[in-house]
Structures are given as structure tokens and as C-alpha cells.
Amino acid sequence: MITEYLDKNKTRSLYEEAFDDPKAFVDYYYLDKCLDNRMIVSLEDGEVISMLHLNPYYINLCGKVVKSYYVVAVATKEGRRHEGQMSAVFREAFELMKEERVPFIYLMPVDESIYSWMGFEKICDFITERIRDFVEIRKRYDVFCMRDEDYIRRMNKEEALRAEDSGEVLPDSPIIMAKITDLDSFCEAAGYSFDSDEDALKWLKSKRIYISEEV
């Protein structure tokens, strides 16, 4: 069964199986980031076989603020891979995003080829040195994540974890890929009429994009 899953702590064992993040980071992720995120899973007899997490962000898209999701924690149990489990989970996520008129979603891949066939394309490099001055970000970039009290609190916690060498384990040369999930709402936000997802992504890639959020 492919479903949006509310018993979030029951996904932790799969997270720990799939990723090498330090325990302190995983504790922070499940105690804090999971308070407001969403999880789409493949469930069999009460066991989570495959999953992805949708972590919410509001994105300034060239002056228009839109809701988006950072796709993280993409994982399938060892021994159940190459069965199409993850494809089914992503299809459910794409359908939800279309229904909710979310213009685009994005992720940080370990390998671009894992996601490119689903319509994800590289839009920028991930910026490893986070800019704390939000006024500077607004001046220098066209596309970036908005900040509120929760964002700033989490940013401070994540920086403290990195200082303790307990931050999330990132790829060697991290990049950000995005996928258009509702072309009509993307066109509306951008103020242009694009003929295809590819055209919309080409326009997005031409902008100055700042993504420095780990999860």
C-alpha cells in the first residue's frame, strides 16, 4: 500500500539503515524536522518498505512566495530494492503535489541519474556555507527559502550540530535538482506561460538560486 504515513517514528529504522548520519542529527531530525513534514511510504503488513519525506519550505520565486517541498530521506529496505517500490512512492508524491498545486519540488541527489528519468534536473549547486544575513540573500538571489522563527531556530541547531561534527552527511559535491509538479501554478507564480516542464525548468535554471538548507 502506498500512503501518506502519520506514524513518523516508525520510519526511523529505515532511515538509520539507509543513511550514515550521526545519531545526534537523526535525533534532531525526528524530534524537530518531523513535526511539520510529510512522509509517503510503501507499507506492507505494517512495515515501511520504501519512503520519501517532504519537508516544507516557502520559496521566494522572483518575488512571488510559493509553497514547495524539499524531498529527503529517499530510501528502500535492503533486499526490497529494484522492485519499483520507490517509483510508486514518487508517483503518489507527484499526484499529491499536482492536486495541491505545488509548483515544484527539489532534492539533493547522491546520483543525478537516480532522479533524472523522473523529470528532475539540476538547477544549482548546493551552497555549503550558509549566509546568515537574509538581507544579503534578498539582494543577491532571485530564488531562495523564506525564513521565519522556526527556520532560524533550526538553522542554529543544524549549525551547532555541524560544529560538533554531528551534522548530516552530505555528498562530496552536493547539487540541487528540481521537478515541476504543477506547470499551471508554476507559470502563475513566474508570470510567464511555459509550454512544457522542460521550458519552465530552463527558465528556473537561468535565475540566481540560493539553496543551503540540508533537510
Side-chain angles (χ1 to χ4, degrees):
M1 178 176 65
I2 309 299
T3 186
E4 184 167 355
Y5 198 50
L6 300 180
D7 200 350
K8 298 178 181 180
N9 283 330
K10 287 188 177 179
T11 69
R12 179 164 177 158
S13 61
L14 177 54
Y15 188 107
E16 291 174 329
E17 175 188 312
F19 305 107
D20 295 324
D21 296 327
K23 181 180 182 300
F25 178 85
V26 181
D27 287 344
Y28 153 73
Y29 182 81
Y30 272 87
L31 288 171
D32 195 328
K33 290 293 290 187
C34 289
L35 290 175
D36 58 6
N37 75 350
R38 304 169 72 177
M39 300 182 184
I40 312 299
V41 308
S42 173
L43 198 64
E44 291 185 5
D45 297 324
E47 182 181 20
V48 177
I49 305 300
S50 188
M51 69 178 180
L52 63 78
H53 297 186
L54 297 167
N55 291 354
Y57 284 91
Y58 282 94
I59 306 289
N60 184 302
L61 183 65
C62 298
K64 180 70 175 289
V65 177
V66 300
K67 188 169 186 177
S68 184
Y69 288 94
Y70 199 171
V71 183
V72 304
V74 178
T76 301
K77 285 187 67 67
E78 190 174 4
R80 298 299 305 272
R81 296 166 189 167
H82 310 294
E83 296 179 356
Q85 299 276 354
M86 185 53 64
S87 297
V89 169
F90 265 102
R91 282 196 300 272
E92 178 68 15
F94 296 155
E95 289 176 8
L96 283 174
M97 297 300 96
K98 179 73 172 177
E99 290 172 4
E100 297 173 13
R101 302 193 76 245
V102 174
F104 72 100
I105 57 177
Y106 59 104
L107 52 77
M108 180 196 300
V110 174
D111 182 345
E112 289 184 58
S113 65
I114 297 173
Y115 304 99
S116 57
W117 68 274
M118 290 188 280
F120 284 93
E121 293 185 19
K122 178 184 175 181
I123 58 168
C124 66
D125 291 322
F126 176 81
I127 299 173
T128 55
E129 295 299 324
R130 192 178 314 200
I131 300 171
R132 296 191 63 84
D133 186 348
F134 193 53
V135 174
E136 180 183 354
I137 294 170
R138 284 182 173 273
K139 289 179 179 178
R140 289 174 53 186
Y141 295 95
D142 305 311
V143 180
F144 51 85
C145 294
M146 301 300 293
R147 294 183 176 182
D148 58 15
E149 290 183 3
D150 281 337
Y151 180 103
I152 293 169
R153 175 180 54 76
R154 289 166 171 169
M155 177 176 70
N156 292 336
K157 178 61 176 177
E158 289 164 19
E159 289 180 349
L161 286 168
R162 283 200 299 274
E164 298 168 359
D165 199 26
S166 295
E168 182 190 18
V169 177
L170 302 178
D172 291 337
S173 300
I175 66 166
I176 296 296
M177 301 179 79
K179 175 183 170 62
I180 305 299
T181 43
D182 184 61
L183 184 58
D184 289 343
S185 59
F186 189 92
C187 291
E188 180 181 331
Y192 293 96
S193 182
F194 301 106
D195 293 329
S196 66
D197 292 357
E198 291 77 14
D199 288 343
L201 282 172
K202 183 178 180 180
W203 176 86
L204 181 60
K205 287 186 284 188
S206 74
K207 303 305 175 184
R208 299 171 299 170
I209 303 173
Y210 173 82
I211 300 290
S212 189
E213 293 70 25
E214 294 184 7
V215 291

